[in-house]
Amino acid sequence: MTIEAPAPQLERHVPTEDTLIPLPARDAAEDPFEPLSVGAMVDRVAGMAVEKAAHPWAFFVRSLVGGAMVAFGVLLALVVSTGVKTPGVASLLMGLAFGMSFVLILVSGMSLITADMAAGFLAVLKRSMNLGTYAFLVVVGLIGNIVGAFVFVAICGAAGGPYLGAFAERAAAVGAAKAGQPFWTALLLAVVCTWFLQTAMCMFFKARSDVARMAFAFYGPFAFVIGGTQHVIANVGFLGLPLLLNLFHSAAPRAGIGWGFGHGGLLTNIGVTTVGNLIGGTLFVALPFWIIAQLQRRQV
């Protein structure tokens, strides 16, 4: 007797669209490399200014070091452009050499007054800082940066050596070009300077990856140096270095740059560029970002 039965078969389940389990969507807000929103960036930058104002002596020391870092960038920019006859190439080399100064300042947590102008103004707009504290922040930061930059270039001026000869001529030419500009030219170029620089600072605090932050921090000073603009602390180096080289080494040229007020004076340039940098950092950077953040929050 033969029993005929069908051979057992494995049951197959063909997945359909209803049975597929979708992978969880990646939340952009949890992406460690996703840039922060404008609102989050504004809060972060303003908080930085509040923290600095809360520790005035630490802030002053951070400003001293920040000023020296800027002067270090000035020195390198003049070194790499000495002997270069093509203006565009010389400016490019200066920007490449100078760019790392702002990277050093932001990554190390030191202070640059032009950055604090914008950051503090954001804190004022957010009502986490009053105008009196903001004025204190600007004055202390400015003094600290100027002193730090001046000490650095004074040491270089006293050293002489490689900073004489062709280098001294280059330093005098660059300093004279900046000091000799008419009032409105210097003022407007100072506005453009911090428009570049503080936009880069905001992008630094908006980014999350270290590579992106360093790229943004590098771009700001790179752009303002190539553009031939005016930065108050950088100019302490660009004008102060030829003055100090001439002070310590009488053969070094100073190209009509003076110490005080008047045409070509260091103090005049500091005053004009401080006002221009303040306008650029507050009205053209901090205020627009704050308005954008407010408009976005109202739509939520």
Side-chain angles (χ1 to χ4, degrees):
M1 181 176 180
T2 303
I3 300 176
E4 295 182 358
Q9 296 182 356
L10 296 174
E11 185 177 359
R12 294 183 180 180
H13 295 280
V14 179
T16 63
E17 291 184 2
D18 293 335
T19 59
L20 288 176
I21 300 175
L23 293 174
R26 191 173 188 180
D27 186 0
E30 297 177 355
D31 186 346
F33 297 105
E34 183 73 16
L36 295 174
S37 67
V38 174
M41 179 272 292
V42 166
D43 291 343
R44 192 174 183 182
V45 174
M48 176 190 69
V50 172
E51 184 273 331
K52 288 181 177 180
H55 304 89
W57 284 110
F59 172 58
F60 180 69
V61 175
R62 291 162 76 174
S63 299
L64 289 172
V65 179
M69 289 177 172
V70 171
F72 185 50
V74 168
L75 180 72
L76 295 182
L78 293 173
V79 168
V80 299
S81 62
T82 297
V84 179
K85 303 301 181 184
T86 306
V89 176
S91 296
L92 175 62
L93 293 174
M94 290 180 73
L96 289 172
F98 193 92
M100 283 304 294
S101 61
F102 201 36
V103 177
L104 291 174
I105 291 170
L106 290 180
V107 173
S108 66
M110 298 301 107
S111 289
L112 181 62
I113 182 55
T114 47
D116 296 329
M117 287 173 175
F121 192 64
L122 280 173
V124 171
L125 293 172
K126 283 176 54 61
R127 298 182 181 179
S128 56
M129 179 182 293
N130 58 47
L131 287 175
T133 303
Y134 177 64
F136 171 82
L137 190 79
V138 171
V139 171
V140 172
L142 182 63
I143 293 173
N145 277 171
I146 290 175
V147 172
F150 196 80
V151 167
F152 184 90
V153 293
I155 293 172
C156 295
Y163 308 132
L164 298 175
F167 174 90
E169 294 175 1
R170 171 64 178 167
V174 172
K178 290 184 174 293
Q181 290 178 341
F183 171 83
W184 284 109
T185 300
L187 180 71
L188 294 176
L189 287 178
V191 171
V192 172
C193 173
T194 40
W195 200 342
F196 276 138
L197 190 61
Q198 297 339 306
T199 299
M201 178 201 67
C202 289
M203 294 301 98
F204 174 90
F205 284 102
K206 196 174 191 297
R208 293 196 183 187
S209 72
D210 291 338
V211 173
R213 287 179 181 177
M214 293 181 70
F216 285 129
F218 179 87
Y219 174 76
F222 171 78
F224 89 66
V225 170
I226 288 183
T229 62
Q230 299 261 14
H231 185 276
V232 57
I233 306 305
N235 283 6
V236 172
F238 283 123
L239 277 66
L241 189 53
L243 286 170
L244 288 162
L245 282 170
N246 178 262
L247 178 66
F248 291 109
H249 312 276
S250 57
R254 52 189 286 181
I257 306 171
W259 288 97
F261 295 100
H263 184 73
L266 175 62
L267 293 180
T268 297
N269 186 268
I270 288 175
V272 173
T273 52
T274 297
V275 174
N277 288 163
L278 182 65
I279 294 171
T282 55
L283 298 186
F284 289 89
V285 179
L287 183 60
F289 276 120
W290 179 78
I291 292 173
I292 292 168
Q294 292 296 106
L295 293 175
Q296 289 178 338
R297 283 167 177 162
R298 289 177 183 175
Q299 294 174 357
V300 176

